[in-house]
Amino acid sequence: AQTVTQSQPEMSVQEAETVTLSCTYDTSESNYYLFWYKQPPSRQMILVIRQEAYKQQNATENRFSVNFQKAAKSFSLKISDSQLGDTAMYFCAFMKRYGGSQGNLIFGKGTKLSVKP
Amino acid sequence: DGGITQSPKYLFRKEGQNVTLSCEQNLNHDAMYWYRQDPGQGLRLIYYSQIVNDFQKGDIAEGYSVSREKKESFPLTVTSAQKNPTAFYLCASSIQGTFDTQYFGPGTRLTVL
């Protein structure tokens, strides 16, 4: 079974600074996807970024980028130029591509990020 | 506007009553999902459906039931057999199940009194 671990329950960062959120996962699969979702106080889950495991290049979306280390099973999220609107819970998630339960997301427990003015 | 709607936003029920949560999408997505979120936890999969008239159990299906009679709709019934139903419920959809990104609705907070 796959597991996702987020070791930082809470983090804080000053506005305009950079912060990195950690995520590790355990799987025997070779084909899978990794995601970061954001859950603001409204509680709606919003996709931040997605990474395909077969791609060596790290995904980027504007101020958000990942450091994907497949051998180490590590998938960290870097937020540059942090903004007050980035304050939210951030969830790392895993999805295997083939086999039983394909398409099902496995979530970590989340990291609560606070951006301070 | 295309999107996923869940209603109601807040729902209160007495213990022992069945309750149905609504999820509708107009994104023309094939796959739909139900997740449960408890305080301090990530999301856990209850049921999912890849196509109309077909659905599979997720990790915590006991005490829940679903139907998928239309592509746009995937209602979740929380039955009296669910031992601890108070939680936040999120519905999601994706173009296809296997490798497509899931997009989420705004959620329903269910409180059983």
Side-chain angles (χ1 to χ4, degrees):
Chain A
Q2 291 76 34
T3 59
V4 176
T5 302
Q6 294 180 248
S7 59
Q8 305 150 316
E10 293 192 39
M11 295 189 72
S12 65
V13 63
Q14 291 296 127
E15 195 174 7
E17 293 187 346
T18 296
V19 64
T20 299
L21 280 58
S22 300
C23 173
T24 58
Y25 58 96
D26 188 23
T27 185
S28 58
E29 303 286 333
S30 57
N31 273 298
Y32 53 87
Y33 299 86
L34 295 163
F35 302 83
W36 279 99
Y37 280 91
K38 164 185 176 180
Q39 189 178 40
S42 68
R43 302 200 72 178
Q44 175 143 16
M45 296 289 282
I46 301 166
L47 176 69
V48 175
I49 201 162
R50 158 182 155 146
Q51 174 80 44
E52 289 84 358
Y54 62 86
K55 290 186 178 179
Q56 292 186 342
Q57 187 174 5
N58 289 324
T60 63
E61 284 290 342
N62 301 315
R63 298 183 295 108
F64 300 88
S65 62
V66 298
N67 183 3
F68 173 48
Q69 301 290 327
K70 190 172 184 179
K73 296 180 182 175
S74 171
F75 184 60
S76 61
L77 175 70
K78 184 171 83 171
I79 306 174
S80 304
D81 185 26
S82 297
Q83 300 176 359
L84 296 178
D86 295 334
T87 292
M89 284 289 290
Y90 286 80
F91 291 94
C92 179
F94 169 98
M95 181 170 73
K96 70 177 184 179
R97 186 168 180 176
Y98 299 112
S101 302
Q102 63 191 27
N104 299 348
L105 282 168
I106 307 297
F107 284 85
K109 292 187 176 182
T111 295
K112 183 177 181 181
L113 177 67
S114 299
V115 180
K116 301 183 184 304
Chain B
D1 279 342
I4 303 170
T5 57
Q6 291 185 243
S7 60
K9 188 172 182 177
Y10 299 97
L11 191 55
F12 297 88
R13 280 295 182 267
K14 292 183 179 179
E15 193 171 346
Q17 290 182 334
N18 291 357
V19 60
T20 297
L21 281 59
S22 169
C23 177
E24 304 276 334
Q25 55 97 1
N26 60 4
L27 300 168
N28 200 31
H29 285 176
D30 293 306
M32 296 186 74
Y33 308 81
W34 274 105
Y35 291 90
R36 170 182 171 138
Q37 186 178 27
D38 293 287
Q41 301 292 320
L43 280 63
R44 291 181 292 167
L45 183 67
I46 304 172
Y47 267 99
Y48 65 102
S49 169
Q50 306 275 7
I51 57 172
V52 174
N53 293 323
D54 186 49
F55 47 83
Q56 286 78 40
K57 293 181 179 180
D59 299 324
I60 55 166
E62 186 175 351
Y64 299 97
S65 66
V66 293
S67 63
R68 186 90 187 274
E69 297 176 0
K70 298 186 300 180
K71 187 175 184 178
E72 304 79 18
S73 178
F74 191 42
L76 173 74
T77 297
V78 184
T79 75
S80 58
Q82 168 49 233
K83 295 179 181 177
N84 187 18
T86 294
F88 188 62
Y89 291 87
L90 286 151
C91 177
S93 70
S94 64
I95 297 174
Q96 296 177 16
T98 55
F99 51 84
D100 285 297
T101 300
Q102 294 180 23
Y103 296 93
F104 286 81
T108 292
R109 171 68 183 176
L110 173 64
T111 302
V112 176
L113 306 172

